[in-house]
């Protein structure tokens, strides 16, 4: 079973012996891979759309895993009882959908790990999940078909973060790689262009963009060019 680079990056953060729900499983390929490659995991694969659940069922049957992966139709955490799960995986959705799903204090009680790849608003996502009582254990940038994604593993705990750590990710800042510089140099260009195009008088927006440009420049300026 071959997974996309994006989904593969998620799998490296999932531990043996965990009780997982993959919310918004769609094709369930991630869940099939996890079942095949981890020890002693229980997996609930769920989706809100019937079509997705049907496709997931076909894939699960194709890999002879019927009855091994528990497939459920429904919205977010509604499909589980309180003690069934300790690990949530959510990938390929926007921040506001993820926020809606995780705003469920009763069902979140026994969750100790959340692994997320959000398609939007990574900074808001970090702030939101930290407020739920989690800290960032691991993070990675991954490039898949020319798009750079961020995958984050949150675990229960308290850790204080600086502004830059919330913006870039504390674990990502500890180990800046080529993708980091590629991603943020592109963002820098985007914000510099946006700044030039801002209509006169938009002072708050101007200050916001100038601030982003300042903090990104600070973080990308330490890149050492290879010596010739
Ligand atoms: C773009 S797909 C991502 C599929 C897969 N997780 C991935 O990363 O490749 C998003 C999936 O989330 C499902 N979804 C959206 N909102 C949901 C919700 N509130 N509860 C469960 N599934 C949801 C959609 O039906 C869709 O199948």
């Amino acid at each position: 079973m071959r997974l996309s680079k994006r989904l593969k990056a998620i799998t490296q953060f999932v531990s043996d012996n965990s009780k997982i729900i993959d919310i918004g499983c769609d094709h369930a390929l991630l869940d099939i891979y996890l079942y095949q490659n981890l020890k002693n995991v229980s997996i609930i694969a769920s989706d809100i759309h019937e079509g997705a659940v049907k496709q997931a069922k076909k894939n699960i049957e194709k890999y002879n895993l019927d009855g091994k992966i528990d497939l459920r139709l429904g919205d977010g955490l509604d499909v589980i009882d309180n003690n069934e799960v300790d690990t949530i995986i959510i990938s390929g959705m926007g921040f506001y959908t993820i926020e809606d799903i995780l705003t469920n204090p009763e069902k979140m009680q026994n969750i100790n790990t959340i692994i997320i790849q959000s398609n939007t608003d990574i900074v808001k996502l970090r702030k939101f999940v930290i407020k739920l009582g989690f800290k960032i254990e691991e993070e990675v940038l991954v490039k898949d078909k020319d798009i750079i994604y961020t995958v984050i593993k949150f675990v229960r705990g308290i850790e204080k973060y600086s502004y830059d750590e919330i913006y870039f990710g504390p674990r990502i800042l500890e180990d800046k790689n080529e993708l980091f510089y590629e991603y943020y140099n592109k963002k820098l260009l985007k914000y510099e262009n946006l700044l030039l195009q801002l209509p006169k008088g938009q002072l708050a927006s101007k200050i916001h963009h100038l601030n982003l440009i300042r903090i990104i420049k600070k973080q990308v300026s330490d890149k050492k060019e290879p010596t010739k």
Side-chain angles (χ1 to χ4, degrees):
M1 141 79 68
R2 278 174 63 86
L3 280 185
S4 67
K5 281 189 185 165
R6 177 180 63 87
L7 291 176
K8 194 77 187 288
I10 294 169
T11 67
Q12 67 182 313
F13 291 160
V14 192
S15 311
D16 291 331
N17 305 309
S18 41
K19 298 190 282 178
I20 303 158
I21 180 165
D22 175 19
I23 301 174
C25 67
D26 199 357
H27 34 68
L29 295 179
L30 175 73
D31 309 294
I32 293 167
Y33 182 95
L34 291 175
Y35 191 87
Q36 289 176 333
N37 289 278
L38 290 181
K39 292 194 190 88
N40 190 34
V41 284
S42 69
I43 305 178
I44 298 170
S46 75
D47 206 286
I48 200 167
H49 284 122
E50 213 171 330
V53 172
K54 277 189 184 149
Q55 183 56 47
K57 190 171 180 338
K58 272 192 196 158
N59 288 337
I60 289 169
E61 283 168 2
K62 182 173 150 199
Y63 287 91
N64 295 320
L65 292 178
D66 356 357
K68 311 274 191 216
I69 294 172
D70 185 348
L71 195 54
R72 300 186 188 176
L73 173 67
D75 186 350
L77 290 165
D78 292 354
V79 300
I80 58 161
D81 291 329
N82 284 0
N83 281 323
E84 281 187 300
V85 163
D86 56 31
T87 300
I88 294 174
I89 301 175
I90 302 180
S91 65
M93 292 186 206
F95 166 68
Y96 291 103
T97 311
I98 297 171
E99 184 185 36
D100 266 0
I101 291 171
L102 296 181
T103 305
N104 191 333
E106 200 196 325
K107 298 286 172 73
M108 288 291 288
Q109 276 176 55
N110 294 313
I111 303 299
N112 55 40
T113 303
I114 312 174
I115 300 159
I116 306 184
Q117 177 269 306
S118 172
N119 287 345
T120 64
D121 298 291
I122 313 293
V123 179
K124 282 185 188 154
L125 175 79
R126 284 197 188 94
K127 285 185 192 161
F128 169 70
V129 183
I130 288 165
K131 267 200 184 148
L132 292 178
F134 289 79
K135 62 182 180 179
I136 295 170
E137 187 172 79
E138 296 185 84
E139 281 174 305
V140 70
L141 293 173
V142 57
K143 190 174 184 179
D144 192 343
K145 297 194 183 105
D146 253 11
I147 301 176
I148 298 177
Y149 299 93
T150 308
V151 182
I152 309 176
K153 176 178 183 177
F154 298 90
V155 298
R156 284 268 173 209
I158 298 169
E159 200 167 71
K160 282 225 174 275
Y161 300 108
S162 66
Y163 184 90
D164 278 18
E165 284 173 324
I166 291 291
Y167 188 82
F168 297 96
R171 304 291 88 88
I172 287 174
L173 279 184
E174 282 167 2
D175 185 19
K176 293 188 225 169
N177 58 15
E178 281 300 318
L179 268 188
F180 176 87
Y181 294 102
E182 182 181 334
Y183 187 58
Y184 285 103
N185 275 318
K186 267 189 200 151
K187 270 194 190 275
L188 193 58
L189 265 182
K190 186 177 125 190
Y191 293 138
E192 284 172 341
N193 283 330
L194 274 171
L195 192 65
L196 290 176
Q197 287 159 24
L198 272 183
K200 277 200 179 130
Q202 297 215 359
L203 192 61
S205 188
K206 192 172 174 189
I207 292 172
H208 173 69
H209 283 93
L210 279 170
N211 186 44
L212 290 178
I213 289 168
R214 183 183 57 80
I215 66 162
I216 296 175
K217 267 194 179 157
K218 191 177 79 187
Q219 289 297 345
V220 295
S221 63
D222 61 355
K223 183 168 196 277
K224 299 196 180 42
E225 294 305 330
T227 42
K228 285 182 187 153

